Structures are given as structure tokens and as C-alpha cells.
Amino acid sequence: MQASIIISTYNSPLWLEKVLWGYSIQTINDFEIIIADDGSTEETKLMLKKISSETSLLITHVWHKDDGFQKTKILNKAVLVSKSDYCIFTDGDCIPRNDFVEAHLKFRRKNSFLSGGHFPLSKMLSKIISKKNILNQSCFDLKWLKDHGLETKFKNIKLTKSKSVAELMNLVTTTKPTWNGGNASAWKQDIFAINGFDERMQYGGEDREFGERLINLGLKPVRVRYFAICIHLEHDRGYVNEKAWKINDEIRKSTRNEKRIKTPSGLNLYS
């Protein structure tokens, strides 16, 4: 097995099912999928059982009881059950293009982690995309997207089919390579070296802090923004709260100022 795909989710089975259809047609299929479920209801479990029977995907469902936004905790639990030495992290609202896994495996290097992004869609487009659109990849076709309401913007170049244009854009983009939870990957030994995700953190910069500790460890962030492509399905964000942001900001300041590598509240909590 070349990779463990860790997908975070919470009570979004319709979106998650679309994401999994995207993984069912990858150009490289030597990977496992671990669903990092932050307390979803039975509906998600039933959907996973259904799609497991309809595809050849190897899916492990890691779940814990709903206790508010606890993404860092469920990600650590998912890492612990992963079976490969390389982990690709994404979210249950990000549909991968069929070469998504191939791109992460192609550009992975020792002493580095990969930083990707996503292509945001409107709620209307998110709802329109069907299983058929995913399997035939029309949901990544700019003409199809524009025919269904996508605005014409320069950022649409992210979905280019030209390898040379993708290489050029990835080279000249000024976007800083950071750890983005919807599209990033790292070697498992490096994840263990920094003690995983900081479980004191809820929503608001928790992914970035994880990447900052990887950089403190000496890893180089490598941009794959125009190579590893996924489209982001729009949804409400009821888990955002100001108190968590303030706590997270203080933790991030400490990580940067002290050049901290290991969190005191991570994978060690399970040993």
C-alpha cells in the first residue's frame, strides 16, 4: 500500500459520498481510505457500508462521540490506525480529480511535506454535481462548470488540463506553501516526530500550526497547488467560534516563537 488517505468528516454523508466516488477512479489505486469521523450520526456509517459494497475501496471508519469540533483528536486516531508510511490528508467536502493520489505520490520527497489547495464551488454547483459527473470527470471541465453557473475568473486556470501551464503556474504563484487540511501530505515518521496534531486546538489555524511544527522539524514545504487538484463543495460552518480562535492563536504564537516541534497534547495521549 503506497498511501493512507485520511478524510475528515462530520455529518455530511451526501458530500462524503461524492468524495469517495472520486477516489474510486484514481489512476493509482494502491491506497487505503481512513474516514476520520468527528462524531457523525448513523447515516454516515450506513453510506460507507453501501459505497464499500459498490466499489473496491478499502475503507476504515474511525469514529468518536460528538463533542463539538474535535478534528485534531480524530485525525490523530486515524493516523494511529493507518497502515502505510505516507499519509494524504483531505476533507469530506473535497472531490479529488482522478490523478490526485498520483500527484501526491509523484512529488513526495524525504524531508518535505506537500501543500495543495482546492477549487471552491458555489452551493448550487455543489448540489448539481452527480456521481456521473464525478465518474466521467466533467465536474473538472471548465466548460461544463461554466455551463452550470461558474463565473469566469483568472483563478479558473487551476483546473487547466495543460501540464506545461500547470508547471508554470505552480512555479510562479505567490501563494505560500502551508499545511492545508483539505489537501496536504507527509511521511508518517515525520507526523510521529512532531507528536501529531495538537488536541488542545479546535477550529481556526489548527492545520497551519501542524505545518509550522513540521517546518520547525526541518521539513521543506513543497507546493503542489496546480498538480494535486480537488474541488471544494460549499457548506455551512456552524463550528466557528471566537473563543477557539483566541486559544489557537496563542498556541500558534508559542509554536513560532519557541520553534516548538512537539505538541504536549498529541499522539502521546494514546500510548
Side-chain angles (χ1 to χ4, degrees), residues 214-269:
L214 286 173
I215 292 173
N216 291 344
L217 180 65
L219 270 60
K220 177 184 178 181
V222 176
R223 188 185 294 113
V224 288
R225 191 172 179 81
Y226 289 86
F227 301 135
I229 303 299
C230 60
I231 51 178
H232 179 262
L233 305 173
E234 187 52 68
H235 58 88
D236 296 326
R237 294 168 176 80
Y239 43 75
V240 179
N241 72 83
E242 188 175 344
K243 181 180 178 181
W245 270 106
K246 290 181 178 179
I247 293 172
N248 290 4
D249 283 345
E250 289 302 313
I251 292 173
R252 288 188 68 189
K253 283 180 184 177
S254 174
T255 295
R256 290 192 296 269
N257 294 339
E258 299 172 15
K259 299 294 182 182
R260 187 158 47 86
I261 292 173
K262 289 190 174 185
T263 169
S265 302
L267 294 169
N268 62 303
L269 300 176

Side-chain angles (χ1 to χ4, degrees), residues 106-143:
K106 177 181 178 181
F107 291 101
R108 63 180 175 174
R109 300 287 186 273
K110 292 294 184 182
N111 302 312
S112 68
F113 69 85
L114 301 187
S115 167
H118 65 241
F119 188 85
L121 300 181
S122 65
K123 278 190 177 181
M124 181 189 72
L125 261 173
S126 299
K127 292 177 180 178
I128 289 173
I129 291 174
S130 67
K131 172 185 172 182
K132 178 181 177 181
N133 301 137
I134 298 166
L135 296 183
N136 66 20
Q137 295 287 276
S138 59
C139 60
F140 292 93
D141 181 76
L142 280 175
K143 183 180 183 306

